[in-house]
Amino acid sequence: MRVRTLADISEEAVGRLLKRANKRNCSGKKKHVNISSRHDSIDTPAIGPNRNDKLDVDPRDGVEGCNRDALQKTAGEERLDGGSMQNASPENENELNDLDWEDGSIPILDSTTNLPVTIEISETPNSNRRKPSRRASAEDKELAELVHKVHLLCLLARGRLIDSACDDPLIQASLLSLLPKHLLNVSKVTQLTATALYPLVHWFQNNFHVRSSTSAERSFRLGLASALETREGTPEEIVALSVALFRALNLTTRFLSILDVASLKPDAGESEIFSQDASRLSNGIFKSSTLMVARPNKASVSPVKSFSSNAIDNICETSQRGSCKSRDSYSACDITQSEGSSVAGDLDNKMSDSLACEAGHDTSEECLTKVQGTKRKGDLEFERQLEIALSATAGVTLENKIQSNARDLDVGSRKVGSPLYWAEVYCCGENLTGKWVHVDVVNAVVDGEQKVEAMAAACKTSLRYVVAFAGRGAKDVTRRYCMKWYRIASRRVNSIWWDAVLAPLKELEAGATGGMVHMDKQQIESSTEHKKEKTSRELGNPNQDVVTGDAILHGMSTLEVVKEYGKKIDIESSVNDSFVATRSSLEDMELETRALTEPLPTNQQAYRNHQLYAIERWLTKYQVLYPKAPVLGFCSGHPVYPRSCVQTLKTKERWLREGLQVKAHELPVKELKRSVRLPRVSDPEDDECGGGNYEGTIQLYGKWQLEALHLPRAVNGIVPKNERGQVEVWSEKCLPPGTVHLRLPRVFYVAKRLEIDYAPAMVGFEFRNGRSHPIFDGIVVCAEFKDAILEAYVEEEERREVEEKKRNEMQAISRWYQLLCSIITRQRLNNRYGESSLAQTSTDIQRNSRLCAHAGVCDGDGQSRVCQQEGTHSAKLDSSSAALSEDHEHVFLTENQSFDDESLVLIKRCHCGFSVQVEEL
DNA sequence: CTGCGAAAGGTAGCTTTGACGTTG
DNA sequence: GCAACGTCTTTGCTACCTTTCGCA
């Protein structure tokens, strides 16, 4: 059995995604994403869509036709289609403008081969007009979330790939060989500080530059090698080289990347982007889908050849961490496939423009406009990442970059000047306990973590996910760089899912960057105070009415906080109040501290769903502040409270479902008017709570008014029931003590027969016909009767099964009898009034009917007989049998019959293939 | 131009314990 | 005559999210 690789899983997931997208929008042919092997590309139309190595879209999903249509079209035809759409009816246009992918087909990539991946994107260029805004449906949201998740996984895979390339001993050795001797001393510094990194960063920035063009068809490692050789490369490559250099110098270093993923929510703006992209695409970037196919590089000199000649020689001596064996990492396969491809001329120009801007850190309007004019962020970025990750996850050897990838990298997706990549170096000499120091060699910034958000914001890059890669693992460090968490919180994926995804990667990362840090009590106090002060200073907003830097940690001493976190993370506390912590756990603590010390937002709307703070005006109907203190500050005159003070209220019935009941004499915290259309008889229980007249209102209670549910205990075998004679079993907690819930069908018959007291178990409601209907599942009985009932139930079920079987048999016999009687009657009528030629058939049928007159379903009890047809001959016993008999009369010769001693079944066969099984009575 | 606040509009989710005719 | 079963019909309110617009 073939082991499912990560590549398989990834392809499958993306395939499913594309399938979903297709399914939803077969009609509107807007986009055509065709991920296929080079052989399947449009250059070789002889190979059709039905190749075996393609992951065909399941025809059951109703997309086959759609898919086939698309595949049969040439790019030219699609462009023509696009042109004709200008005259499309408004309805059609709306469909066409719908945001969906079309016709994705994913090849099953063989990780042992080195096939490049080609993505074809041909869009119908005519969708400039904005469609009327349509609210996203639940399905849209689900799809957007899926896309978001897949994109995240793809980018994680990409990051890991780059991280592993940074560990390449060849690259590290080469970098070391280039480094001036005096800079080598950095590796000897024991208490490394950010300042010590400056000369290194400056040297790096002077020697390596972001360049304006890339060659495409090669793995990331080869690209890195090429960048090393030419001392020019994409920002990703340059940063990766810096990481490799730091690692070569024995500095604990991570590669950091902003995962700029597709939106988590179906974005109405996306349609605009798509359509704008489409028009731009038609204007020259992707003039035809064939442009996307790699062209052979005529002037190709393998970048590795010259690189390796001088690098390999001294690798073993120079590399401080690698070994010679990884020389193999440049497989012959990789090298032979490293032929780059020339980039189309107009593309080159545009890329030059964009990257020239980038290299010069030019974030000017002119530059932005230029780049945005060629392509917008978002969708093509996503496609690029998708294809990169697909190729990346398809296998280690399959790291060929696609030309479209390289093109996108520079033309469109890059946010000019945007810090998408940087490094983090662990400096033991910083902050007493050590610190991860931000190092951006592209912009020559050291320790500028607080600048990242502003830079990203200036370049329209969302700082939703900042992930650090090391040791093939990854860790989310967004908190360190994102100061306004509330802005990104809703745009991040469900944290449970994300944490689960990252958990194994985080371990790998911690393993690679781990180190123990010893602290004593004073150190913790001072370091945390230092952090708190710094956070307050850095994050403090002068526009706020009151800024309480440390809003949530009210009342707790720093040491207490640290200890509190220590419980959650792996900090070991010894008797004398000194701690031994790993770097990873210390960082967790730091990030957690940041999470809890976020400054108060200045706009009211931010408090609607803020994780830490709340103001009363944005509470919902079922929320109150309890206790209504402390006030952490003010926003536009509204007092700000900790989110932890926001309590959700519920009705008694709702609390009951959670196994809680309202304490005696507790008054409702809040009363809501009942809907006028739902007049309800007042609950008799209401009078117990204060005696007020609550008719027409919904009484809500808070968590602090509750106690564990005390239901009356079952006594003398009697189950305590509600006023309807039932037990509401919302959960196990709702069962009266001494009772059990038996969720078995028809079990109440047994209880009734045994005369045991029981109550139907109501487990929920079903809304049907505009009305609620209770759902019952099983019964509630006293625990002492459980065994007796179960025993009787088993017997009862056996008996029932036997009876049912018997009933079925009787039915079958009866039906057979009816059928045969009908046939006989028909034959008799035919004999009497029809053609004389059928007389013989009649005799035959009568003979058969004698055989089967008492036939039934064969069940091995020796009581019945079965007539059945065998072989290919299609004999029928109904009216068609007459016609059949005209052609052939079955003859059952004795030598053709067989008898099975065990089952006592005699099989008679006619030479035509017809057979009859006769079970003798 | 950007960001904020307020208002408007629309969707999703919550709601929550029959009546009556036919068949066996 | 009675119990079991199937079918009828397919709510309507409102919290909350999103968009739009005006203003600073």
mmCIF file of all heavy atoms in Angstrom, chain A residues 719-751:
data_model
loop_
_atom_site.group_PDB
_atom_site.id
_atom_site.type_symbol
_atom_site.label_atom_id
_atom_site.label_comp_id
_atom_site.label_asym_id
_atom_site.label_seq_id
_atom_site.Cartn_x
_atom_site.Cartn_y
_atom_site.Cartn_z
ATOM 1 N N VAL A 719 -39.107 7.059 39.010
ATOM 2 C CA VAL A 719 -38.277 8.094 38.393
ATOM 3 C C VAL A 719 -38.945 9.456 38.566
ATOM 4 O O VAL A 719 -40.115 9.615 38.192
ATOM 5 C CB VAL A 719 -38.087 7.811 36.889
ATOM 6 C CG1 VAL A 719 -37.237 8.888 36.225
ATOM 7 C CG2 VAL A 719 -37.476 6.442 36.668
ATOM 8 N N PRO A 720 -38.235 10.443 39.134
ATOM 9 C CA PRO A 720 -38.827 11.786 39.233
ATOM 10 C C PRO A 720 -38.986 12.391 37.832
ATOM 11 O O PRO A 720 -38.034 12.402 37.059
ATOM 12 C CB PRO A 720 -37.794 12.580 40.044
ATOM 13 C CG PRO A 720 -36.797 11.589 40.522
ATOM 14 C CD PRO A 720 -36.875 10.397 39.660
ATOM 15 N N LYS A 721 -40.176 12.860 37.538
ATOM 16 C CA LYS A 721 -40.447 13.372 36.185
ATOM 17 C C LYS A 721 -40.859 14.834 36.258
ATOM 18 O O LYS A 721 -41.222 15.349 37.324
ATOM 19 C CB LYS A 721 -41.566 12.558 35.533
ATOM 20 C CG LYS A 721 -41.317 11.055 35.539
ATOM 21 C CD LYS A 721 -42.532 10.318 35.052
ATOM 22 C CE LYS A 721 -42.401 8.821 35.265
ATOM 23 N NZ LYS A 721 -42.508 8.380 36.657
ATOM 24 N N ASN A 722 -40.832 15.489 35.101
ATOM 25 C CA ASN A 722 -41.317 16.871 35.073
ATOM 26 C C ASN A 722 -42.834 16.878 34.891
ATOM 27 O O ASN A 722 -43.475 15.824 34.854
ATOM 28 C CB ASN A 722 -40.606 17.684 33.988
ATOM 29 C CG ASN A 722 -40.938 17.201 32.587
ATOM 30 O OD1 ASN A 722 -41.828 16.353 32.403
ATOM 31 N ND2 ASN A 722 -40.232 17.707 31.602
ATOM 32 N N GLU A 723 -43.386 18.064 34.749
ATOM 33 C CA GLU A 723 -44.847 18.177 34.689
ATOM 34 C C GLU A 723 -45.444 17.480 33.478
ATOM 35 O O GLU A 723 -46.628 17.210 33.415
ATOM 36 C CB GLU A 723 -45.265 19.658 34.748
ATOM 37 C CG GLU A 723 -44.813 20.510 33.572
ATOM 38 C CD GLU A 723 -43.409 21.083 33.757
ATOM 39 O OE1 GLU A 723 -42.624 20.544 34.575
ATOM 40 O OE2 GLU A 723 -43.105 22.052 33.057
ATOM 41 N N ARG A 724 -44.576 17.194 32.504
ATOM 42 C CA ARG A 724 -45.082 16.496 31.319
ATOM 43 C C ARG A 724 -44.847 14.995 31.401
ATOM 44 O O ARG A 724 -45.025 14.280 30.419
ATOM 45 C CB ARG A 724 -44.390 17.034 30.068
ATOM 46 C CG ARG A 724 -44.706 18.478 29.812
ATOM 47 C CD ARG A 724 -43.941 18.989 28.608
ATOM 48 N NE ARG A 724 -44.120 20.410 28.460
ATOM 49 C CZ ARG A 724 -45.162 20.963 27.842
ATOM 50 N NH1 ARG A 724 -46.083 20.195 27.302
ATOM 51 N NH2 ARG A 724 -45.272 22.260 27.760
ATOM 52 N N GLY A 725 -44.354 14.554 32.542
ATOM 53 C CA GLY A 725 -44.125 13.119 32.713
ATOM 54 C C GLY A 725 -42.861 12.642 32.007
ATOM 55 O O GLY A 725 -42.730 11.471 31.677
ATOM 56 N N GLN A 726 -41.938 13.604 31.737
ATOM 57 C CA GLN A 726 -40.707 13.235 31.041
ATOM 58 C C GLN A 726 -39.496 13.592 31.875
ATOM 59 O O GLN A 726 -39.609 14.262 32.895
ATOM 60 C CB GLN A 726 -40.603 14.020 29.718
ATOM 61 C CG GLN A 726 -41.813 13.953 28.853
ATOM 62 C CD GLN A 726 -41.897 15.169 27.947
ATOM 63 O OE1 GLN A 726 -41.111 16.103 28.032
ATOM 64 N NE2 GLN A 726 -42.885 15.144 27.060
ATOM 65 N N VAL A 727 -38.340 13.176 31.371
ATOM 66 C CA VAL A 727 -37.081 13.671 31.934
ATOM 67 C C VAL A 727 -36.318 14.323 30.785
ATOM 68 O O VAL A 727 -36.154 13.728 29.720
ATOM 69 C CB VAL A 727 -36.248 12.527 32.544
ATOM 70 C CG1 VAL A 727 -34.881 13.045 32.977
ATOM 71 C CG2 VAL A 727 -36.971 11.927 33.733
ATOM 72 N N GLU A 728 -35.920 15.573 30.991
ATOM 73 C CA GLU A 728 -35.149 16.261 29.959
ATOM 74 C C GLU A 728 -33.684 15.907 30.127
ATOM 75 O O GLU A 728 -33.057 16.277 31.113
ATOM 76 C CB GLU A 728 -35.361 17.769 30.059
ATOM 77 C CG GLU A 728 -36.776 18.170 29.714
ATOM 78 C CD GLU A 728 -36.980 19.675 29.765
ATOM 79 O OE1 GLU A 728 -35.982 20.411 29.724
ATOM 80 O OE2 GLU A 728 -38.151 20.087 29.872
ATOM 81 N N VAL A 729 -33.177 15.187 29.165
ATOM 82 C CA VAL A 729 -31.790 14.737 29.269
ATOM 83 C C VAL A 729 -30.931 15.564 28.304
ATOM 84 O O VAL A 729 -30.606 15.136 27.210
ATOM 85 C CB VAL A 729 -31.669 13.233 28.954
ATOM 86 C CG1 VAL A 729 -30.277 12.726 29.318
ATOM 87 C CG2 VAL A 729 -32.705 12.436 29.713
ATOM 88 N N TRP A 730 -30.601 16.764 28.717
ATOM 89 C CA TRP A 730 -29.706 17.608 27.895
ATOM 90 C C TRP A 730 -28.284 17.100 28.017
ATOM 91 O O TRP A 730 -27.488 17.231 27.102
ATOM 92 C CB TRP A 730 -29.794 19.068 28.342
ATOM 93 C CG TRP A 730 -31.161 19.630 28.209
ATOM 94 C CD1 TRP A 730 -32.070 19.824 29.203
ATOM 95 C CD2 TRP A 730 -31.806 20.043 27.003
ATOM 96 N NE1 TRP A 730 -33.231 20.335 28.701
ATOM 97 C CE2 TRP A 730 -33.095 20.492 27.344
ATOM 98 C CE3 TRP A 730 -31.426 20.094 25.670
ATOM 99 C CZ2 TRP A 730 -34.015 20.967 26.411
ATOM 100 C CZ3 TRP A 730 -32.324 20.575 24.731
ATOM 101 C CH2 TRP A 730 -33.595 21.010 25.094
ATOM 102 N N SER A 731 -27.966 16.578 29.166
ATOM 103 C CA SER A 731 -26.639 15.991 29.366
ATOM 104 C C SER A 731 -26.767 15.018 30.543
ATOM 105 O O SER A 731 -27.822 14.929 31.160
ATOM 106 C CB SER A 731 -25.603 17.070 29.680
ATOM 107 O OG SER A 731 -25.862 17.594 30.969
ATOM 108 N N GLU A 732 -25.683 14.348 30.833
ATOM 109 C CA GLU A 732 -25.688 13.398 31.947
ATOM 110 C C GLU A 732 -26.052 14.091 33.268
ATOM 111 O O GLU A 732 -26.664 13.489 34.150
ATOM 112 C CB GLU A 732 -24.298 12.755 32.090
ATOM 113 C CG GLU A 732 -23.977 11.748 30.997
ATOM 114 C CD GLU A 732 -24.823 10.487 31.109
ATOM 115 O OE1 GLU A 732 -24.927 9.964 32.229
ATOM 116 O OE2 GLU A 732 -25.396 10.050 30.095
ATOM 117 N N LYS A 733 -25.674 15.389 33.345
ATOM 118 C CA LYS A 733 -25.912 16.130 34.591
ATOM 119 C C LYS A 733 -27.386 16.300 34.882
ATOM 120 O O LYS A 733 -27.773 16.597 36.012
ATOM 121 C CB LYS A 733 -25.273 17.520 34.487
ATOM 122 C CG LYS A 733 -23.768 17.513 34.467
ATOM 123 C CD LYS A 733 -23.277 18.944 34.222
ATOM 124 C CE LYS A 733 -21.801 18.989 33.943
ATOM 125 N NZ LYS A 733 -21.384 20.318 33.454
ATOM 126 N N CYS A 734 -28.204 16.194 33.843
ATOM 127 C CA CYS A 734 -29.632 16.435 34.023
ATOM 128 C C CYS A 734 -30.387 15.197 34.477
ATOM 129 O O CYS A 734 -31.603 15.250 34.664
ATOM 130 C CB CYS A 734 -30.230 16.961 32.714
ATOM 131 S SG CYS A 734 -29.524 18.510 32.179
ATOM 132 N N LEU A 735 -29.686 14.091 34.624
ATOM 133 C CA LEU A 735 -30.350 12.857 35.061
ATOM 134 C C LEU A 735 -30.559 12.902 36.569
ATOM 135 O O LEU A 735 -29.634 13.211 37.322
ATOM 136 C CB LEU A 735 -29.487 11.645 34.717
ATOM 137 C CG LEU A 735 -29.550 11.126 33.297
ATOM 138 C CD1 LEU A 735 -28.567 9.967 33.136
ATOM 139 C CD2 LEU A 735 -30.950 10.659 32.934
ATOM 140 N N PRO A 736 -31.768 12.611 37.023
ATOM 141 C CA PRO A 736 -31.973 12.551 38.478
ATOM 142 C C PRO A 736 -31.050 11.494 39.080
ATOM 143 O O PRO A 736 -30.835 10.456 38.455
ATOM 144 C CB PRO A 736 -33.441 12.117 38.602
ATOM 145 C CG PRO A 736 -34.066 12.444 37.300
ATOM 146 C CD PRO A 736 -33.000 12.320 36.276
ATOM 147 N N PRO A 737 -30.526 11.758 40.272
ATOM 148 C CA PRO A 737 -29.626 10.784 40.900
ATOM 149 C C PRO A 737 -30.336 9.438 41.052
ATOM 150 O O PRO A 737 -31.525 9.401 41.371
ATOM 151 C CB PRO A 737 -29.331 11.393 42.275
ATOM 152 C CG PRO A 737 -29.693 12.828 42.151
ATOM 153 C CD PRO A 737 -30.721 12.955 41.095
ATOM 154 N N GLY A 738 -29.585 8.381 40.801
ATOM 155 C CA GLY A 738 -30.165 7.051 40.942
ATOM 156 C C GLY A 738 -30.865 6.553 39.688
ATOM 157 O O GLY A 738 -31.522 5.522 39.719
ATOM 158 N N THR A 739 -30.755 7.313 38.608
ATOM 159 C CA THR A 739 -31.387 6.859 37.361
ATOM 160 C C THR A 739 -30.355 6.720 36.262
ATOM 161 O O THR A 739 -29.253 7.266 36.360
ATOM 162 C CB THR A 739 -32.474 7.846 36.883
ATOM 163 O OG1 THR A 739 -31.842 9.088 36.550
ATOM 164 C CG2 THR A 739 -33.524 8.074 37.942
ATOM 165 N N VAL A 740 -30.748 5.976 35.246
ATOM 166 C CA VAL A 740 -29.873 5.838 34.075
ATOM 167 C C VAL A 740 -30.691 6.092 32.816
ATOM 168 O O VAL A 740 -31.910 5.922 32.800
ATOM 169 C CB VAL A 740 -29.239 4.427 33.983
ATOM 170 C CG1 VAL A 740 -28.150 4.258 34.997
ATOM 171 C CG2 VAL A 740 -30.283 3.350 34.098
ATOM 172 N N HIS A 741 -29.961 6.523 31.803
ATOM 173 C CA HIS A 741 -30.603 6.789 30.519
ATOM 174 C C HIS A 741 -30.281 5.623 29.585
ATOM 175 O O HIS A 741 -29.123 5.357 29.299
ATOM 176 C CB HIS A 741 -30.053 8.103 29.952
ATOM 177 C CG HIS A 741 -30.676 8.477 28.643
ATOM 178 N ND1 HIS A 741 -30.126 9.403 27.794
ATOM 179 C CD2 HIS A 741 -31.812 8.047 28.032
ATOM 180 C CE1 HIS A 741 -30.897 9.530 26.729
ATOM 181 N NE2 HIS A 741 -31.912 8.718 26.839
ATOM 182 N N LEU A 742 -31.292 4.929 29.131
ATOM 183 C CA LEU A 742 -31.088 3.808 28.203
ATOM 184 C C LEU A 742 -31.502 4.267 26.803
ATOM 185 O O LEU A 742 -32.694 4.432 26.531
ATOM 186 C CB LEU A 742 -31.911 2.593 28.638
ATOM 187 C CG LEU A 742 -31.635 2.068 30.039
ATOM 188 C CD1 LEU A 742 -32.595 0.934 30.384
ATOM 189 C CD2 LEU A 742 -30.196 1.576 30.151
ATOM 190 N N ARG A 743 -30.488 4.509 25.974
ATOM 191 C CA ARG A 743 -30.790 5.016 24.628
ATOM 192 C C ARG A 743 -30.921 3.841 23.659
ATOM 193 O O ARG A 743 -30.037 3.595 22.847
ATOM 194 C CB ARG A 743 -29.682 5.944 24.148
ATOM 195 C CG ARG A 743 -29.474 7.126 25.016
ATOM 196 C CD ARG A 743 -28.487 8.085 24.405
ATOM 197 N NE ARG A 743 -29.158 9.070 23.580
ATOM 198 C CZ ARG A 743 -28.811 10.362 23.540
ATOM 199 N NH1 ARG A 743 -27.801 10.799 24.208
ATOM 200 N NH2 ARG A 743 -29.469 11.197 22.766
ATOM 201 N N LEU A 744 -32.010 3.122 23.795
ATOM 202 C CA LEU A 744 -32.225 1.973 22.913
ATOM 203 C C LEU A 744 -33.612 2.096 22.287
ATOM 204 O O LEU A 744 -34.558 2.491 22.980
ATOM 205 C CB LEU A 744 -32.133 0.673 23.714
ATOM 206 C CG LEU A 744 -30.787 0.397 24.379
ATOM 207 C CD1 LEU A 744 -30.942 -0.683 25.434
ATOM 208 C CD2 LEU A 744 -29.765 -0.017 23.336
ATOM 209 N N PRO A 745 -33.719 1.757 21.044
ATOM 210 C CA PRO A 745 -35.041 1.841 20.422
ATOM 211 C C PRO A 745 -35.979 0.781 21.002
ATOM 212 O O PRO A 745 -35.556 -0.337 21.304
ATOM 213 C CB PRO A 745 -34.744 1.591 18.939
ATOM 214 C CG PRO A 745 -33.443 0.873 18.900
ATOM 215 C CD PRO A 745 -32.675 1.313 20.102
ATOM 216 N N ARG A 746 -37.180 1.127 21.167
ATOM 217 C CA ARG A 746 -38.252 0.220 21.633
ATOM 218 C C ARG A 746 -38.033 -0.303 23.050
ATOM 219 O O ARG A 746 -38.707 -1.241 23.461
ATOM 220 C CB ARG A 746 -38.405 -0.979 20.674
ATOM 221 C CG ARG A 746 -38.820 -0.592 19.271
ATOM 222 C CD ARG A 746 -38.734 -1.784 18.353
ATOM 223 N NE ARG A 746 -37.376 -2.236 18.182
ATOM 224 C CZ ARG A 746 -36.531 -1.740 17.289
ATOM 225 N NH1 ARG A 746 -36.937 -0.776 16.469
ATOM 226 N NH2 ARG A 746 -35.301 -2.177 17.194
ATOM 227 N N VAL A 747 -37.117 0.317 23.780
ATOM 228 C CA VAL A 747 -36.846 -0.220 25.122
ATOM 229 C C VAL A 747 -38.020 0.031 26.070
ATOM 230 O O VAL A 747 -38.206 -0.666 27.056
ATOM 231 C CB VAL A 747 -35.513 0.359 25.673
ATOM 232 C CG1 VAL A 747 -35.660 1.835 25.988
ATOM 233 C CG2 VAL A 747 -35.040 -0.406 26.885
ATOM 234 N N PHE A 748 -38.842 1.028 25.725
ATOM 235 C CA PHE A 748 -39.959 1.331 26.630
ATOM 236 C C PHE A 748 -40.968 0.171 26.672
ATOM 237 O O PHE A 748 -41.631 -0.044 27.679
ATOM 238 C CB PHE A 748 -40.640 2.649 26.240
ATOM 239 C CG PHE A 748 -41.381 2.615 24.949
ATOM 240 C CD1 PHE A 748 -42.738 2.307 24.911
ATOM 241 C CD2 PHE A 748 -40.729 2.897 23.755
ATOM 242 C CE1 PHE A 748 -43.412 2.290 23.711
ATOM 243 C CE2 PHE A 748 -41.399 2.880 22.560
ATOM 244 C CZ PHE A 748 -42.756 2.577 22.524
ATOM 245 N N TYR A 749 -41.025 -0.616 25.555
ATOM 246 C CA TYR A 749 -41.910 -1.781 25.568
ATOM 247 C C TYR A 749 -41.517 -2.733 26.692
ATOM 248 O O TYR A 749 -42.353 -3.268 27.409
ATOM 249 C CB TYR A 749 -41.797 -2.551 24.241
ATOM 250 C CG TYR A 749 -42.614 -1.963 23.117
ATOM 251 C CD1 TYR A 749 -42.012 -1.608 21.918
ATOM 252 C CD2 TYR A 749 -43.992 -1.797 23.255
ATOM 253 C CE1 TYR A 749 -42.750 -1.081 20.886
ATOM 254 C CE2 TYR A 749 -44.739 -1.268 22.221
ATOM 255 C CZ TYR A 749 -44.126 -0.907 21.031
ATOM 256 O OH TYR A 749 -44.854 -0.386 20.015
ATOM 257 N N VAL A 750 -40.186 -2.897 26.781
ATOM 258 C CA VAL A 750 -39.672 -3.837 27.773
ATOM 259 C C VAL A 750 -40.018 -3.352 29.177
ATOM 260 O O VAL A 750 -40.513 -4.122 30.014
ATOM 261 C CB VAL A 750 -38.148 -3.996 27.614
ATOM 262 C CG1 VAL A 750 -37.604 -4.967 28.635
ATOM 263 C CG2 VAL A 750 -37.814 -4.445 26.209
ATOM 264 N N ALA A 751 -39.765 -2.053 29.410
ATOM 265 C CA ALA A 751 -40.043 -1.499 30.733
ATOM 266 C C ALA A 751 -41.526 -1.631 31.058
ATOM 267 O O ALA A 751 -41.911 -1.985 32.179
ATOM 268 C CB ALA A 751 -39.613 -0.039 30.781
#
